[in-house]
Amino acid sequence: MKDFFKFMFATVAGIILSSVVFFIIGIVTLFGMVSASETETTVRKNSIVMLDLEGALLERSQDNPFEQFWGSDYTTYGLDDVLASIQKAKENENIKGIYIQAGYLAASTADLLEIRNALADFKESGKFIVAYGDQYTQGLYYLSSVADKVLLNPKGMVEWRGMASTPVFYKDLLGKLGIDMQIFKVGTYKSAVEPFIATEMSDANREQITQYIGDIWGEILADVSKSRNLTVDSLNAYADRMLMMLPADETLKCGLVDTLIYRNDVRSYLKKMANLKEDDRMPVLGLNDMVNVKKSVPKDKSGNIIAVYYAFGDIDMPGTSSEEGIISSDVIRDLRDLKDDDDVKAVVLRVNSPGGSAYGSEQIWKAIEDMKAKKPVIVSMGSYAASGGYYISCNADTIVAEPTTLTGSIGVFGMIPNTAGLMNKIGVSFDVVKTNKYSDFGTITRALNNDEQGLLQQMVNDQYEIFVGRCAEGRGMTVEEIKKIAEGRVWTGVRAKELGLVDVLGGLDTALEIAIQKADVTGYSVVSYPAKKTFFENLFSTDQGNYIKSRMIQSELGEFGEYYKDLSNLKNMNKETMIQARLPFYLNMK
């Protein structure tokens, strides 16, 4: 017995000691990662910047400790980091060029266009860009086509087949479950509710989708035609041939790529481009390295600030674990602080949102209206600034959008599920005792009666009138003029400019130029808001289980990862606000 207790205590002591040791090792490792991430990168002579694009592009980067601990096949990049890295590479004399290693990147055409324009500006410095891919997705080929040389694996392929939109419909699934979606909307083109009440696109929705994907494809064709010196007709003909199914030699003959080469030989190719000998050193800097490269521009001492405030994601909607969204209460507080800060001379509101809560959108609209009274407000639209995303943008002094930004969608809807059929299927029934006529209004266990339907439809109608009025006031148009282009219709940035919903076509850099001009300052610093969370703030605030789960699901789904958001929205439907103004989809260029 003595030996038993001796071994038991020894085992327990060993477990405790091991735990302490592993805890100490973990803390040391943690601080080591933090220290490494904050160390300034030294750029050596003859360096190359590598954009290794494999994962998903977000509006703004945010360090996540769990991604660093466990790693991830689903890497995320911040558009802000990519653009800043390209600018630093242009300014740094020790950097010879940029190497794009194309993999799979979930990103919108508008984001790819913004990066593409930054790369085109980089080429103005006289430095080179080389792109390589084993298999180019259409989106990354579009991005890479701006390069001086586009390289392809001899057994690889280029996806070049045109664009398509494939909405998902849940009506039959909900019907089998015994769930009936009760819909209230304003806007012939407001298609956000269609997945729940139809099995195919309405004629109006098909019309708007046909137009905007045609516009986007037209922009892609024009850009690739210019970069590759190919006619638009030829590019369309190649898309109809599905070159990706043919040997790589055919893609080379068509002029979509310059050279067939294996990945192992790319380094030697890059050295030749940099006028280096085979045995010369050629340091390679990744995005993480470039983030910590010091800017070449001296620090401004004027104290003047041009603020860039990032508002991206759904507005006041339940999130999908690690993804961020626009929380109206937080945004209102931040914008009030920027309004009251006398050092802030102008604000660029970077909007990348398909919409969300109509109520939350109205509150942000009011905060922007208040800020306009004291300083210029410029909106820079990213991938989306539609529905609620347009609501919060419409009263800016100037609105800037990419030609392929999806915007407009001025419409409102309400949606309440009726689960009575489901409850009946599983043998669950309900009764009620109430003090007043509408005490149980909004319950999902029964259908709405006629009076309740009338009240909800009137509420939606009223919100639509407010939305249209805000747009008319902000854009200096009449309500009647706005209604002609509203009805929930989605427009590309180029169409929105023609209609008066947008002022200028361009990216964030264009919006900054306008803000600086309107602020009428010579010295200034560009500062991003809200401040990014530190490593430790993320460590203690991120939900570890949900983060890992979402990353695993998206990684496993691969190119179908975009549907994960649809499933998450279905799951969180009971948490959503009753009246919404948002897009039903996310259009990615893969």
Side-chain angles (χ1 to χ4, degrees):
M1 183 63 71
K2 289 181 179 180
D3 289 339
F4 170 77
F5 283 113
K6 183 189 301 182
F7 286 121
M8 183 184 71
F9 287 133
T11 301
V12 171
I15 292 173
I16 294 173
L17 181 61
S18 299
S19 299
V20 171
V21 170
F22 281 118
F23 176 76
I24 294 173
I25 292 174
I27 293 296
V28 171
T29 303
L30 181 64
F31 277 97
M33 287 192 298
V34 174
S35 176
S37 67
E38 295 177 349
T39 302
E40 183 179 328
T41 301
T42 300
V43 181
R44 295 181 174 85
K45 191 176 179 180
N46 298 327
S47 291
I48 299 291
V49 172
M50 181 171 73
L51 300 181
D52 187 4
L53 303 178
E54 182 75 37
L57 188 68
L58 305 180
E59 181 64 35
R60 199 179 185 202
S61 65
Q62 185 68 67
D63 287 337
N64 194 294
F66 302 116
E67 196 169 78
Q68 295 192 44
F69 275 132
W70 288 284
S72 174
D73 293 331
Y74 195 84
T75 306
T76 56
Y77 308 91
L79 177 62
D80 57 339
D81 280 348
V82 175
L83 297 177
S85 297
I86 294 171
Q87 183 61 33
K88 290 177 187 177
K90 177 184 177 182
E91 296 168 354
N92 196 300
E93 61 182 14
N94 287 331
I95 292 176
K96 291 285 189 178
I98 291 177
Y99 166 52
I100 302 170
Q101 187 163 279
Y104 167 86
L105 185 69
S108 73
T109 313
D111 286 343
L112 293 174
L113 175 57
E114 192 142 9
I115 297 173
R116 199 177 187 279
N117 287 338
L119 290 170
D121 178 68
F122 170 85
K123 288 171 64 176
E124 295 296 320
S125 66
K127 301 178 182 182
F128 68 83
I129 301 176
V130 171
Y132 171 83
D134 292 319
Q135 298 178 346
Y136 286 93
T137 62
Q138 186 163 262
L140 284 185
Y141 177 74
Y142 170 57
L143 174 66
S144 301
S145 64
V146 75
D148 297 286
K149 299 294 180 181
V150 180
L151 316 182
L152 175 67
N153 188 297
K155 301 302 178 183
M157 63 179 68
V158 173
E159 181 186 38
W160 185 254
R161 54 180 176 171
M163 294 193 67
S165 177
T166 55
V168 181
F169 297 90
Y170 306 103
K171 178 186 175 183
D172 289 346
L173 170 63
L174 295 173
K176 290 178 181 179
L177 294 174
I179 299 174
D180 175 43
M181 299 304 297
Q182 302 168 102
I183 302 298
F184 308 86
K185 69 166 186 168
V186 180
T188 303
Y189 295 90
K190 197 65 180 175
S191 59
V193 297
E194 286 190 4
F196 307 101
I197 59 173
T199 57
E200 60 183 13
M201 286 182 274
S202 65
D203 290 341
N205 192 25
R206 187 175 297 277
E207 176 191 349
Q208 71 172 343
I209 291 178
T210 299
Q211 184 177 79
Y212 70 66
I213 67 170
D215 288 347
I216 293 172
W217 181 239
E219 179 70 25
I220 292 169
L221 287 172
D223 290 343
V224 175
S225 172
K226 182 178 179 181
S227 294
R228 299 298 305 168
N229 195 26
L230 297 168
T231 67
V232 168
D233 288 342
S234 295
L235 289 170
N236 269 320
Y238 298 153
D240 290 339
R241 288 181 60 193
M242 277 291 280
L243 290 176
M244 61 187 294
M245 299 300 183
L246 302 177
D249 290 339
E250 192 64 25
T251 303
L252 177 64
K253 290 177 184 177
C254 291
L256 294 182
V257 299
D258 297 292
T259 304
L260 301 183
I261 186 174
Y262 286 100
R263 186 184 296 223
N264 287 344
D265 299 322
V266 171
R267 190 174 185 87
S268 296
Y269 189 97
L270 291 172
K271 284 187 175 182
K272 290 179 182 178
M273 291 290 293
N275 294 318
L276 300 177
K277 297 178 181 178
E278 185 61 35
D279 56 351
D280 287 340
R281 292 191 61 190
M282 187 185 69
V284 177
L285 302 171
L287 270 177
N288 290 335
D289 300 313
M290 291 302 297
V291 167
N292 294 321
V293 171
K294 189 176 181 180
K295 292 182 179 179
S296 301
V297 180
K299 187 174 181 180
D300 177 73
K301 298 180 180 179
S302 68
N304 297 326
I305 293 174
I306 304 297
V308 178
Y309 188 89
Y310 286 86
F312 56 96
D314 294 326
I315 301 172
D316 284 348
M317 304 284 283
T320 54
S321 67
S322 64
E323 295 180 6
E324 294 195 37
I326 299 174
I327 309 302
S328 61
S329 57
D330 293 346
V331 174
I332 292 165
R333 181 198 62 227
D334 294 341
L335 294 182
R336 183 177 62 243
D337 291 343
L338 290 175
K339 179 195 72 174
D340 295 336
D341 189 340
D342 292 335
D343 290 334
V344 176
K345 304 304 180 182
V347 176
V348 174
L349 181 67
R350 173 68 173 185
V351 179
N352 197 342
S353 172
S357 164
Y359 177 80
S361 300
E362 167 71 10
Q363 309 314 302
I364 297 173
W365 174 90
K366 178 60 168 61
I368 294 170
E369 184 73 7
D370 292 342
M371 187 159 58
K372 268 178 57 181
K374 293 191 67 174
K375 58 196 66 176
V377 179
I378 314 301
V379 160
S380 169
M381 293 180 169
S383 307
Y384 311 89
S387 208
Y390 189 77
Y391 199 140
I392 67 175
S393 305
C394 66
N395 64 335
D397 293 292
T398 305
I399 298 177
V400 181
E402 292 286 5
T404 54
T405 296
L406 295 184
T407 188
S409 190
I410 303 168
V412 182
F413 70 91
M415 184 165 56
I416 297 180
N418 170 21
T419 63
L422 173 62
M423 297 299 104
N424 183 58
K425 285 176 181 287
I426 61 177
V428 176
S429 58
F430 296 85
D431 205 343
V432 64
V433 174
K434 56 185 181 180
T435 60
N436 296 87
K437 182 177 180 180
Y438 298 112
S439 295
D440 63 338
F441 173 79
T443 179
I444 65 172
T445 60
R446 65 168 176 82
L448 296 169
N449 59 44
N450 290 338
D451 288 344
E452 291 169 330
Q453 291 178 20
L455 287 171
L456 190 50
Q457 185 61 56
Q458 184 59 51
M459 186 179 181
V460 170
N461 293 347
D462 292 344
Q463 185 60 56
Y464 178 69
E465 293 299 326
I466 294 172
F467 191 174
V468 169
R470 299 306 189 204
C471 294
E473 181 182 349
R475 302 308 300 155
M477 301 168 68
T478 66
V479 168
E480 289 70 27
E481 287 173 328
I482 291 293
K483 283 187 174 180
K484 288 179 182 178
I485 54 178
E487 290 287 336
R489 182 153 186 173
V490 179
W491 305 97
T492 57
V494 66
R495 297 276 181 177
K497 183 177 184 298
E498 295 172 359
L499 297 170
L501 295 176
V502 164
D503 297 300
V504 180
L505 295 180
L508 182 57
D509 56 342
T510 303
L512 278 168
E513 289 173 6
I514 296 171
I516 293 164
Q517 182 181 9
K518 286 184 176 291
D520 194 22
V521 292
T522 51
Y524 60 88
S525 296
V526 177
V527 181
S528 297
Y529 299 87
K532 293 183 181 181
K533 292 180 180 178
T534 66
F535 183 94
F536 288 104
E537 285 175 332
N538 274 317
L539 179 64
F540 294 110
S541 67
T542 301
D543 184 283
Q544 174 182 354
N546 281 343
Y547 176 80
I548 296 173
K549 178 183 69 175
S550 68
R551 280 288 175 261
M552 287 177 62
I553 292 173
Q554 291 179 77
S555 177
E556 290 301 315
L557 286 174
E559 66 176 288
F560 301 105
E562 63 190 270
Y563 297 121
Y564 175 65
K565 189 169 183 67
D566 294 332
L567 299 174
S568 298
N569 285 338
L570 276 175
K571 184 187 75 170
N572 291 314
M573 189 176 295
N574 65 312
K575 304 175 186 176
E576 295 180 356
T577 54
M578 187 178 296
I579 307 300
Q580 300 173 38
R582 66 182 170 100
L583 281 174
F585 51 79
Y586 294 78
L587 184 65
N588 282 337
M589 269 289 287
K590 304 182 185 70

